[in-house]
RNA sequence: GCGAGAGUGGUGAAAUUGGUAUACACGCUAGUCUUAGGAACUAGUGCUCUCAGCGUGCGGGUUCAAGUCCCGCCUCUCGCACCA
């Protein structure tokens, strides 16, 4: 192609230097633009429901679609998206029909908050951001079928989000209630339990308050058991399954009814240890318990009132702080222990939560840390009922033990005692077996503008009625002010023309529901819409749904473990119960990509120093510029304050999308978190540059490859095939580097080797591979070619290195023919000079031969 | 406290069913070349007291053989957390 040496003699040195430079530099810019244009114009990745592909030759490969933020893609996006793209391209080349779509999770607070600040309609901002995301995604060369692109804020899309909500409503799975809910004072909206992390709003970090407002709630608890059981059949990371199990929090125990002294009421508690009932020395009800006022005696009224006031002013965060001292107040009333008739004082304390069980407990201080602490605080009696290895007056015994002080349970173990107590309770009608969940119903309404309107109408005569199907989509009206009222009503309240409507049933005046749906609504079913994105008759054609579902591979970050992934499973199960989808579960296989972190620097006092405040010395140490203090390099999350945020756009621009894709796959195992190292990135860039020089500067010959090269090519095909299939992209890439390094040593490169190499590269660096394919004289697109095969026989050597161990220690190495038998291996080992010097004069106890690997001679 | 996962060179990391620890890449050292570029090429690079010994967080164990299996610890990351 281009001969470097002649340029030394050229007259116009300057120009030639520029030429050498530009010619030998890998021209990713032109190559990538060229092939992106080709793919787009030729709709190379358009997917149809082609019936000629049998069931097992179809794959649905899904990415978690992005929220189109103003900041654009971050480095985490190309990680998961490259992984699914590589797999999709690989599967296509292996004869699969692959559905690989992309869209946008486009409703959400940032666009709305921006609208409040600037008055720009969220739709305008969102559209602009989507355009930018689309540009970025296309610049990475992902093989999406862009004809299937969706956006949750489009009317055509949320039409069906509303339609599915109606289904939930019709089934009694959506209900209206006025209960104390999590309220974010900063976002001015209610939140689901799943959106509260450590007592703070997941989105903005503000302390969450309790607020009593009217809400639409989805009865996800009705599906708790199925959401739990069906996890078993999913090919998901154990950690995500564990998080969902934990969140659903099923526990088995007993409901126990306590009669109240001098009152015609019973107090029901939930306990997992009904066998410890003889040790119950007091009871506690939550401050919000409905019986609080009834149980409060006149003498205790002032104290209780004061306590309730105190509790009211605590945030959730303060209430659940484990380190704080237990607080509480005596109600003045007593309950009767059903098993022994003893009087038990009833206390009110905020360590008991109204949201779990019945909001009331029987306290067994001898065997529960929290109850013990409370008993000590308020000087309540502690009775040992499980044989303890400690003095229960000094600390609680929370391990198992044989029952004592428990009359007819004495001497029994835990399970025997529980069973016996349960029968006793049921026989005496003062209790029964019970199951409890931590999972709460899903607070579904948001007091905000930028979301799907809930398709319901409130009629003074007919009550709550649904908007008829032919009036869907119920579109979001224009508003003048996006600011939420903060009183628990959405900005839609102010749009009289929209709010006031006719009742669809009686035709009389009625009002629309003004709350909107949470951002999660759209993502609960988007994977179904990709299957049939332009259908205006239904959300998804049932035949097409059967063609593709369930999703075969779903890749995304771990942050949705109990949010999106739980909600979507719930909606899917509801649709399944309606017969609208054919699978019980939406996502058969889930893979969490690890987070891409960055480096930062840490001082002796453990504080972190931003990257730009540190310099590296000649001997490889890191010094804080200002103070001269030596700092250590540590791995940290990317953050603006540490100045270590990597913007993928910069790297795409300066080094090309293929380098970004390949580096993110080369960094380490997909599932693990790993730091971005720009030096490592440059290594991958240099690798692609080398590949480019091989294809453009070496002489390409039609000769068959040497036996040695042929072996390496076959081995490379084998390794890349197996590793790509298993998502072990980092090791597949390292093998391709080995091949490139060998090819680079040759003067003349056989064409067949380069063809195979281009095919192997094509899922990883599709632009470069297309260009190579064309240079090698083929018609595009390489993505339509068949994946190369390998000959297993050619992957092994005729001669193998056999390791000689003496007593398990490596002492020598031999070259022997492949498949050499036990006797000849031992004979060869004994004939070896080095080995001889070790075994001479010693007694051989044992000889172990691992075929083609090693021989171990055990001597004494 | 409960649950999940991870500890291997100076760094990111490799290592099918137990069978040569450190592939590949970065960095570093030396050299070649060069109008100097996050260039290319060649050689080297776990540690040490170098005919050998020691090395996969620590301590034991099983085995001819342990990064891998078993037991007991330690550290770190993530999630949940007064859940009765």
């Amino acid at each position: 192609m281009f001969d470097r040496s002649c340029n030394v003699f050229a007259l116009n040195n300057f120009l030639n230097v520029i030429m050498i430079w530009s010619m030998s530099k890998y021209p990713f810019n032109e190559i990538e633009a060229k092939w992106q244009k080709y793919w787009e114009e030729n709709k190379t990745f358009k997917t149809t429901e082609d019936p000629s592909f049998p069931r097992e030759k179809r794959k649905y490969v899904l990415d978690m679609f992005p929220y189109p933020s103003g900041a654009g893609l971050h480095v985490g996006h190309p990680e998961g998206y490259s992984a699914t793209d590589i797999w999709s391209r690989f599967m296509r080349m292996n004869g699969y029909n692959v559905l690989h779509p992309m869209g946008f999770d486009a409703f959400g607070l940032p666009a709305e908050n921006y609208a409040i600040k600037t008055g720009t309609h969220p739709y305008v901002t969102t559209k602009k951001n989507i355009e930018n995301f689309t540009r970025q995604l296309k610049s990475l060369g992902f093989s999406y079928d862009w004809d299937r692109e969706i956006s949750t804020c489009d009317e055509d899309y949320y039409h069906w989000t509303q339609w599915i909500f109606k289904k939930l409503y019709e089934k009694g799975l959506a209900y209206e209630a006025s209960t104390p809910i999590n309220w974010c004072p900063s976002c001015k909206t209610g939140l689901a339990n799943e959106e509260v992390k450590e007592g703070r709003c997941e989105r903005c970090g503000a302390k969450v308050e309790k607020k009593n407002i009217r809400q639409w709630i989805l009865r996800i608890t009705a599906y708790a058991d199925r959401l739990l059981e069906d996890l078993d059949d999913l090919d998901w990371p154990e950690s995500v399954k564990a998080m969902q199990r934990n969140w659903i929090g099923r526990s088995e125990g007993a409901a126990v009814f306590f009669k109240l002294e001098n009152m015609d009421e019973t107090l029901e508690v939930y306990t997992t240890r009904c066998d410890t009932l003889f040790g119950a020395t007091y009871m506690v009800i939550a401050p919000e318990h409905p019986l609080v006022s009834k149980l409060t005696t006149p003498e205790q009224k002032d104290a209780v009132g004061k306590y309730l006031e105190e509790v009211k002013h605590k945030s959730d965060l303060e209430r659940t702080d484990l380190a704080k001292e237990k607080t509480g107040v005596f109600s003045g009333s007593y309950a009767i222990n059903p098993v022994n008739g003893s009087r038990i004082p009833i206390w009110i304390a905020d360590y008991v939560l109204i949201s779990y069980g019945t909001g009331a407990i029987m306290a067994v201080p001898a065997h529960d840390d929290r109850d013990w602490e409370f008993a000590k605080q308020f000087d309540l009696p502690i009775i040992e009922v499980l044989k303890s290895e400690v003095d229960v007056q000094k600390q609680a015994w929370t391990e198992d033990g044989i029952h004592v002080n428990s009359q007819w349970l004495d001497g029994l173990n835990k399970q025997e005692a529980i069973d016996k107590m349960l029968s006793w309770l049921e026989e005496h009608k003062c209790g029964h077996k019970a199951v409890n969940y931590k999972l709460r119903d899903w607070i579904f309404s948001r007091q905000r503008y930028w979301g799907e309107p809930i398709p319901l109408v409130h009629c003074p005569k007919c009550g709550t009625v649904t908007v008829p199907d032919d009036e869907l989509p119920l579109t979001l009206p224009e508003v003048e002010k996006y600011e939420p009222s903060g009183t628990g009503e959405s900005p839609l309240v102010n749009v009289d023309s929209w709010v006031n409507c006719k009742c669809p049933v009686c035709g009389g005046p009625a009002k629309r529901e003004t709350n909107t749906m949470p951002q999660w609504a759209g993502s609960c079913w988007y994977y179904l819409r990709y299957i049939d994105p332009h259908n205006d008759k239904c959300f998804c054609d049932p035949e097409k749904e059967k063609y593709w579902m369930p999703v075969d591979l779903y890749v995304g970050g771990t942050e949705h473990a109990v949010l999106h992934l739980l909600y979507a499973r719930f909606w899917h199960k509801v649709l399944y119960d309606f017969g609208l989808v054919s699978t019980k579960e939406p996502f058969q296989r889930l893979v969490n990509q690890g987070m891409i972190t960055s480096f930062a620097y840490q001082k002796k006092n453990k504080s972190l120093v931003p990257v730009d405040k540190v310099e590296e010395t000649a001997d490889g140490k890191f010094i804080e510029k200002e103070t001269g203090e030596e700092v250590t390099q540590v791995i940290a999350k990317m953050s603006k304050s540490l100045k270590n945020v990597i913007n993928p756009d910069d790297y795409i621009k300066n080094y090309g999308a293929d380098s970004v894709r390949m580096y993110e796959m080369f960094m380490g195992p997909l599932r693990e978190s790993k730091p971005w190292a720009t030096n490592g990135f440059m290594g991958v860039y240099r690798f692609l540059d080398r590949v480019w020089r091989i294809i453009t500067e070496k002489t390409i010959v039609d000769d068959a490859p040497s036996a040695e090269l042929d072996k390496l090519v076959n081995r490379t095909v084998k390794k890349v095939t197996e590793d790509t299939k298993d998502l072990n992209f980092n090791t597949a890439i390292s093998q391709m580097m080995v091949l490139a390094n060998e090819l680079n040593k040759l003067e003349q490169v056989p064409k067949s080797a380069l063809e195979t190499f281009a095919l192997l590269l094509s899922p990883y660096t599709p632009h470069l591979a297309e260009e190579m394919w064309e240079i090698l004289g083929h018609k595009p697109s390489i993505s339509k070619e068949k994946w190369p095969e390998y000959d297993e026989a050619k992957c092994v050597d005729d001669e193998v290195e056999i390791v000689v161990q003496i007593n398990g220690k490596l002492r020598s190495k031999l070259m022997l023919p492949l498949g050499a038998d036990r006797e000849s291996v031992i004979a060869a080992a004994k004939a070896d000079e080095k080995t001889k010097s070790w075994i001479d004069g010693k007694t051989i106890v044992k000889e172990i031969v691992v075929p083609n690997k090693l021989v171990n001679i055990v001597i004494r």
Side-chain angles (χ1 to χ4, degrees):
Chain A
M1 289 280 304
F2 192 89
D3 188 355
R4 252 169 192 264
S5 58
C6 71
N7 292 287
V8 177
F9 307 104
L11 286 174
N12 194 331
N13 268 338
F14 179 72
L15 260 181
N16 273 318
V17 166
I18 297 292
M19 277 182 74
I20 292 173
W21 188 78
S22 59
M23 291 292 288
S24 65
K25 226 48 191 175
Y26 156 46
F28 55 85
N29 256 328
E30 294 136 61
I31 295 177
E32 293 182 358
K34 171 182 165 186
W35 292 105
Q36 282 160 21
K37 186 162 171 258
Y38 176 89
W39 296 327
E40 183 144 14
E41 284 174 355
N42 290 279
K43 290 196 186 287
T44 306
F45 303 109
K46 185 164 177 60
T47 309
T48 59
E49 287 72 34
D50 182 344
S52 70
F53 288 92
R55 186 76 195 92
E56 67 278 8
K57 281 285 183 184
R58 303 167 194 167
K59 292 283 175 200
Y60 187 172
V61 184
L62 183 66
D63 288 311
M64 289 187 186
F65 65 167
Y67 173 75
S69 75
L73 288 183
H74 58 76
V75 280
H77 289 115
E79 190 192 12
Y81 297 167
S82 296
T84 52
D85 195 59
I86 289 164
W87 208 68
S88 295
R89 288 171 177 271
F90 172 77
M91 294 312 276
R92 283 193 205 101
M93 291 174 80
N94 278 284
Y96 287 78
N97 193 18
V98 176
L99 177 59
H100 187 42
M102 179 46 82
F104 300 96
D105 188 14
F107 276 128
L109 272 183
E112 184 169 348
N113 290 337
Y114 186 75
I116 290 166
K117 240 197 286 175
T118 64
T120 317
H121 195 285
Y123 189 78
V124 174
T125 321
T126 304
K127 266 280 163 257
K128 202 180 112 220
N129 290 347
I130 288 177
E131 274 165 33
N132 187 41
F133 262 72
T134 306
R135 176 191 64 76
Q136 287 187 299
L137 290 167
K138 286 188 175 170
S139 79
L140 280 155
F142 295 133
S143 62
Y144 297 123
D145 177 357
W146 283 103
D147 288 351
R148 292 175 187 258
E149 178 187 345
I150 53 148
S151 172
T152 55
C153 70
D154 284 346
E155 289 172 13
D156 298 352
Y157 183 89
Y158 71 72
H159 178 152
W160 301 105
T161 311
Q162 291 172 332
W163 185 85
I164 296 170
F165 175 85
K166 279 181 63 183
K167 288 282 165 202
L168 284 144
Y169 179 79
E170 283 160 16
K171 226 188 169 188
L173 293 169
Y175 62 95
E176 202 178 4
S178 193
T179 51
I181 56 136
N182 308 305
W183 174 263
C184 174
S186 158
C187 297
K188 292 182 177 138
T189 184
L191 300 172
N193 278 13
E194 289 79 8
E195 292 171 306
V196 182
K197 305 275 167 186
E198 291 174 9
R200 292 173 184 276
C201 171
E202 192 221 12
R203 182 174 301 281
C204 71
K207 279 187 188 175
V208 166
E209 298 167 354
K210 284 280 179 232
K211 186 160 182 161
N212 213 341
I213 50 171
R214 184 187 64 87
Q215 292 285 342
W216 281 96
I217 300 172
L218 298 189
R219 212 178 294 279
I220 189 171
T221 51
Y223 282 73
D225 263 325
R226 285 164 65 191
L227 288 168
L228 189 65
E229 281 163 22
D230 293 345
L231 281 173
D232 294 343
D233 301 324
L234 295 178
D235 182 13
W236 282 23
E238 210 37 59
S239 62
V240 177
K241 287 195 191 183
M243 278 160 81
Q244 291 214 352
R245 286 194 187 107
N246 212 294
W247 191 259
I248 294 166
R250 186 179 198 273
S251 90
E252 282 183 18
V256 183
F257 312 127
F258 286 75
K259 287 218 163 61
L260 300 179
E261 191 182 61
N262 309 325
M263 236 181 280
D264 192 20
E265 285 274 3
T266 53
L267 185 57
E268 181 183 340
V269 303
Y270 173 75
T271 174
T272 53
R273 294 302 299 269
C274 62
D275 56 315
T276 59
L277 195 44
F278 288 98
T281 55
Y282 64 99
M283 299 183 77
V284 183
I285 61 175
E288 299 86 354
H289 196 279
L291 287 178
V292 164
S293 57
K294 226 173 194 178
L295 291 174
T296 304
T297 57
E299 303 82 64
Q300 289 300 101
K301 205 176 166 202
D302 288 350
V304 169
K306 206 175 136 217
Y307 183 69
L308 295 182
E309 199 55 33
E310 258 171 54
V311 170
K312 217 167 127 186
H313 287 100
K314 285 189 199 170
S315 71
D316 264 26
L317 199 60
E318 290 163 319
R319 263 187 77 165
T320 55
D321 183 4
L322 279 167
K324 79 167 176 36
E325 276 190 353
K326 294 266 179 296
T327 60
V329 64
F330 180 44
S331 71
S333 296
Y334 290 84
I336 306 299
N337 189 335
V339 285
N340 59 9
S342 65
R343 285 175 88 220
I344 310 179
I346 302 172
W347 286 66
I348 300 161
D350 66 357
Y351 84 92
V352 169
L353 309 173
I354 188 65
S355 55
Y356 186 76
T358 60
I361 62 153
M362 61 178 222
V364 184
H367 305 293
D368 181 285
D369 288 323
R370 298 152 300 175
D371 295 347
W372 189 89
E373 218 179 292
F374 191 84
K376 280 287 161 194
Q377 181 88 20
F378 296 102
D379 206 19
L380 293 156
I382 298 168
I383 301 175
E384 178 182 6
V385 289
L386 302 172
K387 187 76 201 127
S388 307
E389 290 167 25
V390 297
D391 178 1
V392 297
Q393 303 305 325
K394 300 225 169 74
Q395 69 181 98
W397 173 253
T398 55
E399 308 284 312
D400 281 351
I402 297 298
H403 283 73
V404 294
N405 300 327
S406 298
Q407 300 181 15
W408 37 271
L409 292 181
D410 285 353
L412 298 183
N413 69 25
K414 178 176 167 183
Q415 197 52 54
E416 293 164 345
I418 288 176
D419 292 343
K420 196 162 180 184
M421 180 58 86
L422 273 172
S423 342
W424 189 94
L425 289 170
E426 277 169 26
E427 205 176 296
H428 293 80
K429 302 223 180 320
C430 46
H432 55 78
K433 204 170 176 176
V435 172
N436 240 299
Y437 298 93
K438 286 190 218 170
L439 183 70
R440 301 268 70 87
D441 275 342
W442 177 10
I443 312 282
F444 190 71
S445 45
R446 297 292 178 271
Q447 294 69 50
R448 301 291 306 231
Y449 172 74
W450 188 231
E452 301 87 346
I454 294 176
L456 293 173
V457 169
H458 300 280
C459 171
K461 271 196 225 153
C462 313
T464 303
V465 295
T466 56
V467 173
D469 282 356
D470 59 16
E471 285 177 31
L472 295 182
L474 172 61
T475 57
L476 259 181
E478 298 283 332
V479 294
E480 276 166 31
K481 277 182 66 188
Y482 302 97
E483 187 81 53
S485 64
T487 59
E489 285 187 300
S490 105
L492 291 177
V493 168
N494 303 318
V495 191
D496 289 347
S497 59
W498 187 82
V499 172
N500 294 309
C501 63
K502 274 185 191 163
C503 169
V505 178
C506 70
K511 285 188 187 296
R512 292 196 188 280
E513 170 63 48
T514 54
N515 281 329
T516 53
M517 299 191 203
Q519 196 184 343
W520 310 107
S523 58
C524 272
W525 72 283
Y526 75 110
Y527 54 93
L528 293 167
R529 191 60 177 173
Y530 283 139
I531 291 172
D532 195 9
H534 308 296
N535 195 328
D536 57 2
K537 301 284 181 296
C538 63
F539 73 94
C540 173
D541 180 279
E543 288 310 310
K544 291 183 179 175
E545 187 274 335
K546 282 194 197 80
Y547 187 96
W548 290 115
M549 285 299 286
V551 172
D552 296 285
L553 177 65
Y554 193 20
V555 176
T558 189
E559 67 272 17
H560 296 300
V562 287
L563 289 157
H564 158 63
L565 287 170
L566 189 66
Y567 296 150
R569 292 181 64 220
F570 165 48
W571 275 39
H572 194 87
K573 285 180 185 305
V574 174
L575 294 173
Y576 177 77
D577 289 348
F578 274 106
L580 294 166
V581 294
S582 60
T583 63
K584 279 203 263 184
E585 286 284 336
F587 316 122
Q588 188 52 43
R589 183 179 181 202
L590 174 74
V591 170
N592 286 135
Q593 85 229 30
M595 197 193 304
I596 295 184
T597 52
S598 199
F599 288 111
Y601 299 89
Q602 192 175 46
K603 297 216 248 188
K604 279 205 192 77
N605 65 13
K606 300 279 177 199
S607 65
L608 292 174
V609 184
V611 175
D612 62 339
K613 293 266 192 321
V614 170
E615 62 189 350
E616 192 174 355
T617 60
D619 53 345
K621 287 183 177 149
F622 299 101
I623 303 288
E624 186 183 19
K625 284 190 229 166
E626 263 174 46
T627 60
E629 184 186 333
E630 189 177 341
V631 291
T632 49
Q633 194 179 48
V634 291
I635 289 168
K637 282 187 189 170
M638 288 188 190
S639 72
K640 279 182 194 160
S641 61
L642 290 176
K643 299 255 178 17
N644 60 0
V645 178
I646 301 293
N647 180 356
D649 243 9
D650 296 343
Y651 286 85
I652 295 170
K653 208 166 96 194
N654 293 321
Y655 302 100
D658 282 338
S659 290
V660 172
R661 291 170 60 117
M662 197 165 234
Y663 173 60
E664 293 207 9
M665 295 300 98
F666 182 65
M667 292 169 80
L670 177 64
R671 297 163 180 85
E672 251 133 76
S673 87
K674 50 228 169 252
W676 178 282
T678 300
N679 280 337
F681 174 86
M682 290 312 298
V684 168
Y685 172 71
R686 282 203 292 270
F687 162 60
L688 297 186
D689 192 40
R690 188 173 307 144
V691 173
W692 178 249
R693 278 182 283 112
I694 291 170
I695 193 107
T696 55
E697 292 177 10
K698 301 257 179 202
T699 312
I700 301 170
V701 294
D702 284 326
D703 309 7
S706 67
E708 209 176 329
L709 179 60
D710 197 34
K711 198 180 292 168
L712 178 63
V713 170
N714 272 280
R715 277 185 188 162
T716 304
V717 173
K718 181 176 154 83
K719 177 106 179 114
V720 174
T721 304
E722 289 170 355
D723 286 352
T724 306
K725 183 168 89 333
D726 297 339
L727 310 179
N728 295 324
F729 304 125
N730 54 329
T731 47
I733 294 167
S734 72
Q735 182 63 37
M736 290 193 270
M737 287 173 168
V738 172
L739 178 62
N741 291 343
E742 287 308 311
L743 292 178
N744 199 37
K745 287 178 189 158
L746 303 175
E747 287 299 321
Q748 303 189 323
V749 188
K751 192 177 169 192
S752 67
L754 288 174
E755 286 169 338
T756 304
F757 194 18
L759 291 165
L760 295 179
L761 276 169
S762 68
Y764 292 82
T765 56
H767 312 87
L768 176 60
E770 290 276 20
E771 191 68 20
M772 285 170 78
W773 198 241
E774 199 177 64
I775 290 170
L776 292 167
H778 298 287
K779 289 225 148 48
S781 156
I782 193 172
S783 68
K784 304 281 187 191
E785 296 295 324
K786 210 172 153 315
W787 186 254
E789 285 174 3
Y790 59 92
D791 183 348
E792 190 77 52
K794 284 185 180 167
C795 294
V796 288
D797 290 301
D798 307 335
E799 271 208 318
V800 288
E801 191 181 65
I802 303 283
V803 170
V804 182
Q805 295 182 341
I806 309 293
N807 288 353
K809 286 210 176 359
L810 173 69
R811 294 303 179 198
S812 185
K813 290 174 180 179
L814 306 168
M815 290 305 292
L816 291 176
L818 182 73
D821 63 17
R822 184 185 155 84
E823 277 64 40
S824 56
V825 171
I826 292 171
K830 284 180 180 168
D832 176 62
E833 287 303 320
K834 264 198 206 160
T835 313
K836 262 188 200 165
S837 66
W838 283 94
I839 58 177
D840 272 357
K842 300 276 170 35
T843 315
I844 294 175
V845 183
K846 205 170 181 183
E847 288 154 340
I848 294 111
V849 175
V850 180
N852 300 322
K853 283 240 168 80
L854 65 75
V855 51
N856 187 11
I857 300 171
V858 185
I859 58 170
R860 201 162 44 208

